[in-house]
Amino acid sequence: MLKALRPLATLIEGAIDRIGGLTAWIALVMIGLVATNVLLRYAFSFGSVWAQELEWHLLAALILLGMAHALQRGENVRVDLFYNRYSPRTKRVVDVISALLLITVSLLFIWLSLGYVEQSRSISEASPDPGGIPLRWLVKALIPLGYGLLVLQQLAQLLRLLDSPLQTPTESSHV
């Protein structure tokens, strides 16, 4: 039955991969924006609240949209002090438990953030600073979206772990 779900895991990971490509562009835009803001501030004594806030909004998008992609690629931070010594079977158990815990925590973040985003949207929250960015709820909406992507990535990872009992996540990740 799990083999029948393999295309679903591939579909999820493909979507996460494309979103990860988008985050690379967000990082490039953010670098350009920060460099421009610094140049304008120090060379011309000109600053913009809007541009400064945009840096933070882009950083939020970069982190929240990129965390599932980083996890998919194995670029997350983890402590391998004990893990490297485990047998393939023990690694699989640890990986399954870790995936289930991350899904649980991510679902909790989604549930807790929905009211936060809705409250911001319902009052049309904007920056409190003059010249700041309006529609602050849009950046807040990245919280449930980012954690939703994390849930999807972990579900795909679980499918792969359970389909291939003795492979570790780095051995079973796609492309």
Side-chain angles (χ1 to χ4, degrees), residues 131-149:
I133 296 178
L135 303 176
R136 186 166 275 181
W137 67 270
L138 286 173
V139 75
K140 290 181 177 185
L142 291 173
I143 298 169
L145 177 62
Y147 282 96
L149 293 172

Side-chain angles (χ1 to χ4, degrees), residues 1-17 71-73 92 95-96 99 103 152-175:
M1 176 172 139
L2 289 174
K3 289 191 190 310
L5 295 175
R6 206 179 287 169
L8 177 61
T10 302
L11 180 71
I12 291 169
E13 289 177 334
I16 298 293
D17 205 34
L71 193 61
Q72 177 191 70
R73 297 292 183 181
R92 180 176 173 260
D95 291 337
V96 168
I103 288 171
L152 288 174
Q153 175 54 42
Q154 286 305 104
L155 287 174
Q157 185 63 38
L158 269 175
L159 288 173
R160 292 200 184 277
L161 281 168
L162 298 175
D163 188 36
S164 306
L166 294 178
Q167 289 184 340
T168 61
T170 54
E171 295 169 336
S172 65
S173 62
H174 95 295
V175 187

Side-chain angles (χ1 to χ4, degrees), residues 43-168:
F44 302 105
S45 297
F46 176 78
S48 165
V49 173
W50 185 87
Q52 213 170 12
E53 286 184 3
L54 185 58
E55 290 176 16
W56 288 100
H57 290 212
L58 290 174
L59 180 62
L62 181 68
I63 292 167
L64 290 165
L65 296 177
M67 61 187 176
H69 187 255
L71 193 61
Q72 177 191 70
R73 297 292 183 181
E75 295 173 0
N76 54 306
V77 176
R78 70 175 182 210
V79 180
D80 290 335
L81 183 64
F82 301 109
Y83 186 85
N84 285 336
R85 297 182 202 167
Y86 292 162
S87 69
R89 180 178 169 86
T90 304
K91 286 180 180 180
R92 180 176 173 260
V93 170
V94 168
D95 291 337
V96 168
I97 291 170
S98 298
L100 291 172
L101 285 172
L102 187 54
I103 288 171
T104 303
V105 169
S106 296
L107 289 171
L108 183 63
F109 269 91
I110 292 168
W111 182 68
L112 292 172
S113 68
L114 289 175
Y116 176 67
V117 174
E118 176 52 30
Q119 179 185 17
S120 180
R121 188 205 59 77
S122 69
I123 63 171
S124 297
E125 183 181 5
S127 172
D129 299 318
I133 296 178
L135 303 176
R136 186 166 275 181
W137 67 270
L138 286 173
V139 75
K140 290 181 177 185
L142 291 173
I143 298 169
L145 177 62
Y147 282 96
L149 293 172
L150 207 53
V151 168
L152 288 174
Q153 175 54 42
Q154 286 305 104
L155 287 174
Q157 185 63 38
L158 269 175
L159 288 173
R160 292 200 184 277
L161 281 168
L162 298 175
D163 188 36
S164 306
L166 294 178
Q167 289 184 340
T168 61

